[in-house]
Amino acid sequence: MTPRTPPDAFKPALLSSPPRLDEGRHSRARIGFVLIPNEQTIEEDMIRHLPQGVGAFFARATMPREISTKSLAQVRGSLAGAAQRILPDDGLDVICFACTSGTVAVGEAETCAELQKGAPGARATSLAGGVRKALAAIGARKIVLGSPYTDELNATVADYLTATGTELLSTHGMGLRYDTEMVRVAPDYIIEFAHAIDHPEADAVLLSCGALRSIDVVDRIEQELGKPVICSNQAMLWDCLRMAGVHDRLEGLGRLLREH
């Protein structure tokens, strides 16, 4: 047996030289997410599903508690400040406003402009923008929209989608006004909801809202309906990864991340 070198033998050389550095945990990409105050689903979804070597970092914007087009529009004034607080020294590869309806209320272009004020070195995107790009990637022209929103907010999101050239065959909201309710919608109910809103002529089903735990069941819903299903956090994950230059194909999260 070869005798072990005594630990003291390393001390002179080790202590007189700089520490040895490696690439760290996030060598592939660093993605920042700006959340609304009561959001409780997105952080866990992103951390759980991002590939190894990709880091997720978070800050929260400010707005009133109730989820409505008027209240969500007020988040605009704090987007840049929230983005600026995320890794101000090391910087980000991508910065994203992680709220579908919030992006629609502020405006997609305006959202990205505010984010870039706070993180000028990052590529800016939004959850609604990720959904738009995801629908285009899977070739969905006719869809049904399901969400936890009130009719007023659901109509605002529907108008946004229609303006992008998507045909909405129907829209369905759950009538919830607060994030603290939306985060508690049971995944098995989301499955039943998706079945209930599906339409035979729909190319895809869209389940909107980052607060819903739709990503947990999106693959199962696709298998049961036999068509693509896009949900907010799945689309945002895909969009942010692709914008960061990470092209891993991920299983168990629907066709979008498996095939595009």
Side-chain angles (χ1 to χ4, degrees), residues 63 66-73 101 105 150 152-153 177:
M63 60 169 282
E66 185 179 27
I67 303 296
S68 67
T69 302
K70 182 179 179 180
S71 66
L72 286 161
S101 52
T150 60
E152 177 268 336
L153 188 53
R177 294 184 177 275

Side-chain angles (χ1 to χ4, degrees), residues 31 33 42 45-46 49-50 94 96-100 125-138 160-161 205-210 212 214-216 218 222 229-244 246 250 253-258 260:
I31 301 173
F33 298 92
I42 289 171
D45 280 357
M46 295 303 105
H49 295 298
L50 282 171
V94 173
C96 178
F97 179 36
C99 181
T100 319
T125 188
S126 66
L127 210 165
V131 167
R132 172 181 58 79
K133 288 180 261 185
L135 290 171
I138 64 171
Y160 164 80
L161 292 167
V205 172
L206 171 60
L207 299 171
S208 182
C209 187
L212 292 182
S214 306
I215 201 169
D216 295 348
V218 64
E222 279 195 341
V229 176
I230 298 298
C231 67
S232 287
N233 292 353
Q234 167 218 43
M236 178 168 61
L237 177 70
W238 170 80
D239 179 42
C240 289
L241 285 173
R242 300 304 179 254
M243 288 188 72
V246 178
L250 305 180
L253 301 174
R255 298 184 196 180
L256 178 67
L257 278 153
R258 186 169 62 246
H260 297 278

Side-chain angles (χ1 to χ4, degrees), residues 163-247:
T164 69
T166 304
E167 181 180 347
L168 268 70
L169 300 175
S170 62
T171 64
H172 306 270
M174 300 176 193
L176 303 181
R177 294 184 177 275
Y178 303 105
D179 249 29
T180 50
E181 298 170 327
M182 297 176 189
V183 300
R184 294 170 54 209
V185 176
D188 60 342
Y189 176 82
I190 296 172
I191 295 171
E192 295 171 10
F193 182 69
H195 278 269
I197 69 174
D198 187 28
H199 189 288
E201 295 180 17
D203 301 322
V205 172
L206 171 60
L207 299 171
S208 182
C209 187
L212 292 182
R213 289 172 282 167
S214 306
I215 201 169
D216 295 348
V217 292
V218 64
D219 206 50
R220 175 176 167 181
I221 297 171
E222 279 195 341
Q223 292 172 27
E224 293 179 0
L225 296 183
K227 64 180 62 175
V229 176
I230 298 298
C231 67
S232 287
N233 292 353
Q234 167 218 43
M236 178 168 61
L237 177 70
W238 170 80
D239 179 42
C240 289
L241 285 173
R242 300 304 179 254
M243 288 188 72
V246 178
H247 296 281

Side-chain angles (χ1 to χ4, degrees), residues 75-178:
V75 82
R76 178 177 181 171
S78 60
L79 288 176
Q84 190 175 33
R85 292 194 296 272
I86 307 175
L87 296 189
D89 293 332
D90 285 344
L92 297 165
D93 298 291
V94 173
I95 181 71
C96 178
F97 179 36
C99 181
T100 319
S101 52
T103 306
V104 174
V106 174
E108 188 178 344
E110 292 85 351
T111 294
C112 289
E114 290 300 312
L115 292 174
Q116 291 212 288
K117 289 178 185 178
R123 300 183 69 188
T125 188
S126 66
L127 210 165
V131 167
R132 172 181 58 79
K133 288 180 261 185
L135 290 171
I138 64 171
R141 298 175 182 232
K142 297 180 179 182
I143 70 166
V144 292
L145 165 65
S147 80
Y149 311 138
T150 60
D151 289 344
E152 177 268 336
L153 188 53
N154 218 35
T156 303
V157 174
D159 288 344
Y160 164 80
L161 292 167
T162 301
T164 69
T166 304
E167 181 180 347
L168 268 70
L169 300 175
S170 62
T171 64
H172 306 270
M174 300 176 193
L176 303 181
R177 294 184 177 275
Y178 303 105

